[in-house]
Amino acid sequence: MPTAPKIYDVPSAEGRKRYLTEEEFGRLLAATKTRHLRLFILLSVATGARPAAILDLRWDAIDWEGGHIHLNPNGRIQTAKARPIVPLLGSLWNELKAEHEEEARRARTARARARKRPVSGFVVSYGGYAVGSVRTAFRDAATLAGLGTDVVPYTLRHTAATWLAQAGVSLWDIAQYLGHSDTRMVERHYAHHHPDHKKRAAGVLDAALRRMTVAPQSHPRRGMGEKAMSAKSLAAMVGATGIEPVTPTMST
């Protein structure tokens, strides 16, 4: 009777672990030549959002008075890759507000001159149009900054989470900021960056060993003037016949 073949579980692939140090991030930002890429990079780290969420972000999703950014567009159903509401960082408020006002000014000027100028309504836009991808521009900036090919737009999300973990932010708060419903993903990829990672466990074991007053094992060493038990000295002590009694079959 035929039996069903055994199906082995395929090990899950490790997540992307590359992140930028603050020095590397500064180099990347300095190497950025366009406004839309600069806004993409800043927003990616400030929100910890995926690249697609940043490119979908519209100006009307920014609550200027409340100080929040709604990453999930109106009408979009939340999926497993949830897009949360995150704070609008004070360090970006002025720059984003200035960009928004400039976009509105250009649109008013175009209307006053009876010119047709596209207004995308998207935060990350180029020439009045929404940007579908920043891969090429990002790659060029990363190369100019001396970063490797492993630095891609998604690296910025990993950078945000890693910086939060390194600063001691709780794994639950990091998960919420990234849009996760629990901490499993954060524990898997970012817990080792946390300064308290395994410290409590190590402290318990260390305290137990201290209570037991564990001391290094003492190994006696051959002192000066001590003679080693050598084959020659042993022979001198027991004689040629050893410790067995002499028998007729043995010669002396």
Side-chain angles (χ1 to χ4, degrees):
M1 181 177 179
T3 58
K6 184 175 181 179
I7 301 176
Y8 295 90
D9 291 335
V10 178
S12 58
E14 291 190 3
R16 195 183 304 278
K17 295 183 178 181
R18 180 69 162 98
Y19 71 94
L20 300 179
T21 64
E22 291 187 11
E23 188 272 336
E24 288 177 325
F25 180 79
R27 281 160 41 198
L28 176 65
L29 205 58
T32 302
K33 303 301 182 183
T34 58
R35 289 290 304 161
H36 77 281
L37 182 59
R38 176 180 171 83
L39 288 176
F40 174 87
I41 292 173
L42 290 174
L43 283 168
S44 294
V45 172
T47 64
R50 298 176 180 85
I54 300 298
L55 296 178
D56 285 345
L57 183 64
R58 302 179 68 96
W59 287 113
D60 58 12
I62 299 180
D63 180 0
W64 301 101
E65 294 184 2
H68 293 93
I69 298 177
H70 297 255
L71 292 172
N72 197 52
N74 291 330
R76 178 186 179 272
I77 299 176
Q78 287 282 18
T79 64
K81 296 183 178 180
R83 298 182 182 182
I85 300 173
V86 298
L88 171 59
L89 303 189
S91 57
L92 294 186
W93 198 95
N94 289 335
E95 184 162 359
L96 285 172
K97 191 67 174 178
E99 184 68 20
H100 185 216
E101 291 175 352
E102 177 62 21
E103 177 72 11
R105 186 194 65 78
R106 288 194 293 262
R108 289 194 301 269
T109 301
R111 287 196 299 269
R113 296 178 179 178
R115 294 178 180 177
K116 291 184 179 180
R117 183 185 184 277
V119 179
S120 69
F122 290 88
V123 177
V124 179
S125 62
Y126 185 79
Y129 295 94
V131 176
S133 173
V134 295
R135 288 186 179 182
T136 300
F138 188 92
R139 184 187 62 224
D140 293 343
T143 301
L144 187 61
L147 303 174
T149 56
D150 57 338
V151 175
V152 295
Y154 200 93
T155 302
L156 299 174
R157 175 175 167 87
H158 192 67
T159 297
T162 301
W163 286 1
L164 291 174
Q166 290 173 339
V169 176
S170 73
L171 299 184
W172 173 249
D173 285 340
I174 297 174
Q176 290 290 293
Y177 207 90
L178 297 180
H180 296 306
S181 59
D182 54 53
T183 62
R184 288 177 298 175
M185 185 68 71
V186 175
E187 289 172 356
R188 185 184 310 163
H189 296 292
Y190 308 111
H192 62 286
H193 291 292
H194 202 284
D196 296 331
H197 179 57
K198 297 183 180 178
K199 270 191 175 181
R200 183 173 180 275
V204 170
L205 296 177
D206 186 46
L209 292 177
R210 289 179 184 276
R211 288 194 300 270
M212 294 167 58
T213 63
V214 175
Q217 185 177 358
S218 177
H219 297 284
R221 299 179 61 185
R222 185 183 305 166
M224 296 297 295
E226 294 183 358
K227 294 183 178 180
M229 185 71 72
S230 63
K232 182 177 181 180
S233 60
L234 182 62
M237 292 172 60
V238 301
T241 59
I243 60 175
E244 295 292 334
V246 179
T247 62
T249 58
M250 298 178 66
S251 59
T252 58

